[in-house]
DNA sequence: TATTTTAAGTTAAACGTTTAACTTCATGTA
DNA sequence: TACATGAAGTTAAACGTTTAACTTAAAATA
């Protein structure tokens, strides 16, 4: 690969002149500039960023550490991060921990998780990143690592629970509130919830929102209408039966997958979703448009979460930091489809 | 961030000694080595890769250019590339073109696509990558770009059609063959195909495989049993009706999404999949396990495609290149689920 | 004892840039 | 004519490493 020296030699000028011409820093005649540009083009010159960044002592690069890139929420978040980076002339480095592939559960095997995170962080720091984004649900386990102490750090998708570190995520409680309010607005008062496991913060927060919506609407909260599933389809199927027995006219399933179980249960028991039962899911995954009825759901602003994360990090890096810190909650939105709308059949 | 000079000063030795100690190159006493290691640890020293790679004149880094990271097949492929890189001590740089987000269709707007690819390649080359992987279906439009001429290049997921450039993809024809053979093995002879658009190579190759399987089994090919959809659910619904009218006992839907339309059609017309009709999809997406019946399908070895792509590229880079070139086809596998199996209901 | 070998270190150049400080020389001004 | 100005360039140091070539002195060998 051609370098400044090669160009300088051909043009018969010094390296400094070439550098100034190529970077448009002035002090070079127009004639010489044009000649240099033309030679650079001919040689297909591309600046060596290892040299440039070494000298400039900055990389304009941030690092993304993701627990697993194959999880459905990771790519849109990365996409959003990339969009903001591009806008600001930053680049990003991606380290995919491949936790699922490696069979590491950070909850059970803290040491392995720490080791693998440390390795990723070390690489990033060696690459002189200006800041780091951790994408995954175990950021709180990572916070105390010495390796991350000398860089800007931001958590995305989940809260790291440390008020001094920005966590950019979506507002589970508000989403739960909105889902319930939406169903209440359609006239429902007996609204069942198929929640996630009681150990899940997502689940608890969504539930709290649901309860607040009931309260605000003067509807008493009946704990028997809240059942905890395991996020999997079959638990949706099973719990649907119990809720329907209990007389609910609407179900808020805390993810789309369990809602598919509900749909199947209803079909088998001749309950027509839309007319006999309103159903709303959570996540807005692909299945929602493919199922029949199509599934109303809560859309998580994944792209925005990524975009906002990058913007907060880069603002911090550039010192124009607002004092944003702690949890930053983005709003979800309701996507209305057939499962909450009665569609008359032909 | 601490550097070699800082450590040298504290240890009272020269920079070279520190470098040798840290890299285990010998010529340093054990006592000194231990002291240096300890200081490095205290200072949280991390080598500056901009300096190291500049001096070493190699980066042990490859570049991945992906058309859109949010497409379902990209993340597992990237995962596979990452796995091989890690094994070989390589890193990768990711440039996500965000084609869908930017609204660029490479088929319609070649200039925009070229520009955006050139930008990505220039950055990668500036980062001194040793090679490049293009992940997406428009590699053939990229091949001629001058910017990529001075590096190793490999296409993944789709063929770039140039026999001198390795393309790592899956074997559509074999998959079509296997799907048909599987259904034939279950005793079906009237097997309908819901194909993709006739302009799609995937579709044509899968169809060819299907035809060969019929031929090998002595079953005449009836063109009326092949109908072209648009990959979307509704075309599956519609074409299912036509095929069932034509008397098929099995349907090979060339993607899972259209198969969902088939399932819905059958349900509405009291056709029981598994007993009255066998159905097989393609892609092995998440819906296959969530639908009822669960959908038999063809699994694409995405991880392996990535892994193999990286291995071929890195082998080339390191000169231990086998003469592998042109299309390298990996085999898909059949995933058997309820849609090709009669499950007696309770 | 004189010489060679070896271990443990140092020196300095190099990688490809950037950039502050300097030089040169044509032109304008007093 | 003498001097200041400014444009167009050059020189050289620096960024943080690596590494070949060198030095020194102690240990091994003859």
């Amino acid at each position: 690969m051609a370098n400044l020296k090669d160009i300088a030699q051909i043009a018969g000028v010094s390296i400094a002149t070439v550098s100034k011409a190529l970077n448009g820093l002035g002090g070079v005649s127009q004639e010489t500039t044009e000649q240099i540009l033309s030679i650079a083009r001919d040689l297909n010159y591309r600046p060596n960023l290892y040299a440039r960044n070494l000298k400039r002592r900055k990389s304009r690069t941030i690092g993304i550490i993701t627990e697993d890139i194959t999880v459905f929420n990771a790519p849109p978040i990365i996409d959003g991060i990339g969009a903001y980076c591009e806008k600001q002339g930053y680049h990003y480095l991606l380290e995919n921990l491949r936790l699922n592939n490696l069979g590491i559960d950070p909850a059970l095997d803290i040491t392995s998780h720490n080791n693998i995170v440390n390795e990723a962080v070390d690489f990033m720091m060696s690459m002189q990143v200006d800041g780091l984004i951790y994408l995954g649900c175990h950021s709180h386990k990572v916070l105390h690592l010495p390796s991350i102490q000398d860089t800007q750090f931001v958590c995305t998708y989940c809260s790291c629970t440390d008020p001094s570190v920005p966590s950019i995520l979506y507002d589970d409680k508000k989403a739960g509130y909105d889902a319930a309010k939406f169903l209440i607005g359609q006239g429902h008062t007996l609204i069942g919830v198929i929640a996630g496991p009681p150990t899940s913060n997502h689940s608890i927060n969504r539930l709290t929102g649901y309860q607040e919506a009931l309260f605000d609407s003067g509807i008493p909260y009946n704990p028997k209408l809240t059942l905890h599933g395991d996020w999997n389809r079959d638990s949706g199927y099973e719990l649907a039966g119990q809720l329907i027995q209990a007389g609910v006219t609407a179900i808020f399933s805390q993810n789309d997958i369990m809602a598919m179980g509900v749909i199947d249960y209803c079909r088998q028991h001749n309950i027509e979703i839309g007319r006999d039962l309103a159903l709303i899911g959570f996540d807005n995954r692909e299945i929602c448009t493919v199922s029949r009825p199509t599934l109303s759901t809560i859309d998580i602003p994944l792209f925005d979460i990524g975009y906002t994360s990058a913007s907060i990090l880069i603002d911090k890096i550039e010192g124009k930091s607002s004092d944003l810190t702690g949890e930053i909650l983005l709003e979800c939105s309701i996507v209305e489809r057939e499962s909450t709308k009665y569609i008359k059949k032909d």
Side-chain angles (χ1 to χ4, degrees), chain A:
Chain A
M1 284 256 300
N3 59 24
L4 290 184
K5 202 171 157 193
D6 299 329
I7 301 176
Q9 238 153 40
I10 297 177
V13 296
S14 74
I15 292 177
T17 301
V18 178
S19 175
K20 281 192 274 190
L22 255 26
N23 289 303
L25 296 178
V28 185
S29 72
Q30 198 183 337
E31 194 193 355
T32 312
T33 301
E34 276 166 15
Q35 192 202 359
I36 289 172
L37 257 47
S38 137
I39 297 172
R41 212 173 307 115
D42 290 350
L43 297 185
N44 205 6
Y45 169 77
R46 278 172 291 218
N48 182 324
L49 289 186
Y50 284 103
R52 171 181 287 173
N53 291 347
L54 173 62
K55 181 63 179 85
R56 287 193 176 156
R57 311 189 66 183
K58 59 182 175 200
S59 64
R60 287 187 83 78
T61 298
I62 63 171
I64 306 174
I65 296 179
T66 176
E67 292 181 354
D68 195 328
I69 197 187
T70 62
V71 167
F72 85 100
N73 46 40
I77 293 179
I78 294 171
D79 210 15
I81 295 173
Y84 191 79
C85 283
E86 197 185 327
K87 199 176 145 202
Q88 299 298 317
Y90 273 71
H91 283 275
Y92 64 85
L93 250 37
L94 179 71
E95 281 282 305
N96 178 22
L97 302 183
R98 313 204 305 110
L99 250 38
N100 293 335
N101 245 314
L102 298 177
I104 296 173
D105 179 346
L108 300 177
D109 188 353
I110 296 182
T111 314
S112 290
H113 182 229
N114 280 354
N115 286 345
I116 205 170
V117 171
N118 274 329
E119 225 174 287
V121 174
D122 282 344
F123 170 70
M124 299 272 186
M125 297 305 289
S126 272
M127 286 300 288
Q128 314 297 113
V129 295
D130 300 322
L132 235 33
I133 296 180
Y134 187 91
L135 164 44
C137 273
H138 300 88
S139 42
H140 56 289
K141 297 209 173 70
V142 158
L143 261 194
H144 69 282
L145 292 178
S147 57
I148 65 156
Q149 301 310 322
D150 26 303
T151 190
Q152 303 281 3
F153 197 75
V154 155
C155 302
T156 194
Y157 193 70
C158 285
S159 171
C160 65
T161 69
D162 182 326
S164 71
V165 175
S167 295
I168 295 87
L169 53 158
Y170 60 96
D171 192 341
D172 268 309
K173 199 172 98 178
K174 178 71 163 48
Y177 186 95
D178 289 346
K181 267 287 185 188
F182 174 77
L183 294 170
I184 293 167
Q186 293 197 328
H188 299 280
T189 54
L190 292 172
I191 302 171
V193 179
I194 299 180
T199 50
S200 157
N201 284 332
H202 291 298
S203 176
I204 299 308
N205 291 336
R206 291 171 196 177
L207 194 55
T208 307
Y210 158 87
Q211 290 167 336
E212 286 182 10
L214 292 187
F215 183 84
D216 284 1
S217 307
I219 300 172
Y221 172 62
N222 179 353
K224 290 194 176 141
L225 300 188
T226 296
L227 301 176
H228 290 277
D230 63 0
W231 299 126
N232 290 314
R233 207 200 94 102
D234 290 350
S235 69
Y237 183 93
E238 193 188 329
L239 301 178
Q242 299 182 33
L243 289 174
I244 287 164
Q245 288 284 323
V248 303
T249 62
I251 291 180
F252 169 30
S253 168
Q254 287 192 355
N255 77 0
D256 295 332
I257 306 281
M258 294 190 296
M260 292 299 133
V262 177
I263 290 180
D264 203 43
Y265 178 91
C266 290
R267 181 146 43 222
Q268 288 189 17
H269 295 77
N270 266 318
I271 296 162
E272 190 175 341
I273 294 181
R275 188 182 55 188
D276 308 329
L277 181 86
L279 175 65
I280 188 165
F282 207 110
D283 286 344
N284 196 18
R285 303 183 71 156
E286 183 182 49
I287 25 169
C288 298
T289 61
V290 171
S291 68
R292 284 304 178 273
T294 55
L295 182 65
S296 298
T297 191
I298 304 289
D299 181 69
I300 304 174
L302 297 171
F303 182 92
D304 285 348
I305 288 176
Y307 194 88
T308 305
S309 301
S311 84
I312 286 174
L313 179 60
I314 289 174
D315 279 3
K316 273 186 100 175
I317 289 168
E318 305 203 328
K320 47 184 164 184
S321 168
S322 55
D323 44 2
L324 278 178
T325 191
E327 289 186 4
I328 291 146
L329 299 177
L330 303 191
E331 269 203 38
C332 297
S333 53
I334 291 184
V335 181
E336 225 178 315
R337 297 203 180 89
E338 293 167 5
S339 69
T340 54
K341 218 183 272 176
Y342 180 57
I343 305 287
K344 200 163 170 264
K345 287 211 197 119
D346 310 323

